[in-house]
Structures are given as structure tokens and as C-alpha cells.
Amino acid sequence: NFKRLNETAAQTKRTLSDMSAWRTMAQNVRDTNGQLRAARERLAELGKAGYNSKTATKEMAREFESAKQKVANLESTLEKQREGLHRTGEALEKAGVSTRNFSKDQERLNVQLEKMNALNAKIRANQEAIDANNQRKSELRGQMASGLAMAGTMAAPLYLAAGYEKQLNKASAIGSYTPEQRKQLDALFRQIGA
């Protein structure tokens, strides 16, 4: 789910980026179209003034050819811009964005992206809490293991003492010993570590 959310957010960001690019391209097309209109008007004026006639001076002929080249360059630029605008428009249509309702779709996508970012932040916060809990569990397991090891080291002397008492009681049960003999037997058991 987290992966899918990130993929959807990335797709929404790409779509918003395409929308921004489309707006820029549309403005560039309008600008170039205006420049082309002006360049064609200038070319027509030069033609009416005889800049393309056989009687035109070299300077006039160069100016006319320059204006003609400018029109050709602007027409080429405009065609490329329109193609790019068309391709981007098609990509937006595939993403469910209408260039006619552009502002509404852009607002809708921005709201959607904000919601995804907020959800993503919550998921990250939950994951951090899970990681912190796992770390704490690991620490507690280590402390518990240390406690068990300590309990084991404390149990060993108790076990030995219990064994010693058991052996002493067995010996006392086998025979009847005087308090003096019992002290000697006790000393003997302590000496051999029983």
C-alpha cells in the first residue's frame, strides 16, 4: 500500500509538472504566433515597397531576404511548439486532465497530492514508531537475558548449598553422630566441596 501511494504521488507530481509545461508551451505558441504575424506583416510591407523587385538595392534585397528568413524560422518554431503542445496535451488527456477545464483539474490534483503527502507523513511516523518499539523490545530482550544469566549465577551457589545440606543429612541419617563428629563430618564435606 505504501509503495502504491508513493507511485500515485509520483504520477500526480508528473501530471502537475506536465500541466505546468503545457501552460508554458501554450504561452510560447501564442507569443510565437504574434511574432510570426508581425514578421509576415513586415515582409508584406517590404514587398509592397519594392524590396523584392529587380530595381531594389542590395541593401533592400538583404533586408527583404532577412525578413523572409525570419518568417520561415518562426513558422518552423511555431510548428515544433504546436507539436510539443499537442503531445503534452495527449499525455494530460491520458492522465484524465482536460485542457479545457485546466484550472479545475490542476486544483483537484493539488488537493489530491496534499492528501497523499499527509498520508505519507502519517505512514512514515507510524513506521518510525514501529521501529522504535522494535528497538525497545530488542533492548528489553537483552536485559532479560542478562537477568536470566545473573539468576543462573546466583542459583549455582544455592544449588551447591542445597546439595551440601542433602549430603550432610544423608550422612547423619546413616549413622548417629555426636555433635563433635558432626562438626568433623561438616569440615570434611566443606574440604572436598560436596
Side-chain angles (χ1 to χ4, degrees):
N1 245 352
F2 185 65
K3 183 178 178 184
R4 185 172 172 209
L5 175 66
N6 283 335
E7 289 170 357
T8 304
Q11 179 60 42
T12 303
K13 286 178 186 176
R14 282 191 297 275
T15 301
L16 285 168
S17 176
D18 286 348
M19 291 175 82
S20 178
W22 187 88
R23 278 193 172 187
T24 301
M25 287 180 201
Q27 184 59 48
N28 289 343
V29 165
R30 284 190 293 275
D31 292 346
T32 302
N33 213 6
Q35 292 171 8
L36 179 59
R37 248 191 326 273
R40 283 179 177 160
E41 287 173 7
R42 177 70 179 142
L43 184 62
E45 288 172 6
L46 292 175
K48 283 182 185 176
Y51 277 56
N52 62 342
S53 68
K54 292 187 183 213
T55 60
T57 64
K58 287 183 181 184
E59 179 75 26
M60 292 169 65
R62 270 194 302 270
E63 190 174 340
F64 183 80
E65 284 303 314
S66 174
K68 190 173 159 184
Q69 185 62 46
K70 184 175 183 177
V71 167
N73 289 343
L74 286 170
E75 286 173 341
S76 174
T77 299
L78 183 60
E79 182 61 30
K80 289 175 186 173
Q81 288 175 340
R82 284 181 176 159
E83 287 173 10
L85 186 64
H86 180 71
R87 278 193 309 273
T88 303
E90 286 178 342
L92 289 172
E93 290 291 330
K94 286 181 184 177
V97 175
S98 168
T99 54
R100 289 187 177 92
N101 297 324
F102 205 76
S103 294
K104 287 181 184 178
D105 283 344
Q106 189 172 24
E107 181 61 31
R108 176 184 56 82
L109 288 172
N110 279 324
V111 168
Q112 183 181 357
L113 185 60
E114 286 174 16
K115 287 178 181 178
M116 284 187 278
N117 286 338
L119 184 57
N120 196 352
K122 285 180 183 178
I123 290 172
R124 264 188 264 123
N126 286 340
Q127 186 60 49
E128 288 172 5
I130 289 169
D131 292 344
N133 284 340
N134 287 339
Q135 178 66 29
R136 181 68 179 140
K137 282 192 312 190
S138 178
E139 290 170 3
L140 290 175
R141 278 191 203 110
Q143 290 174 0
M144 195 164 78
S146 295
L148 289 174
M150 184 183 291
T153 57
M154 292 175 69
L158 293 174
Y159 178 74
L160 288 175
Y164 169 76
E165 288 295 324
K166 187 177 176 183
Q167 293 296 329
L168 190 58
N169 287 339
K170 272 187 190 177
S172 294
I174 295 173
S176 57
Y177 298 101
T178 65
E180 184 59 40
Q181 289 173 327
R182 189 166 165 99
K183 282 184 185 177
Q184 288 175 353
L185 192 57
D186 185 41
L188 177 65
F189 279 140
R190 285 184 191 269
Q191 187 179 18
I192 62 172

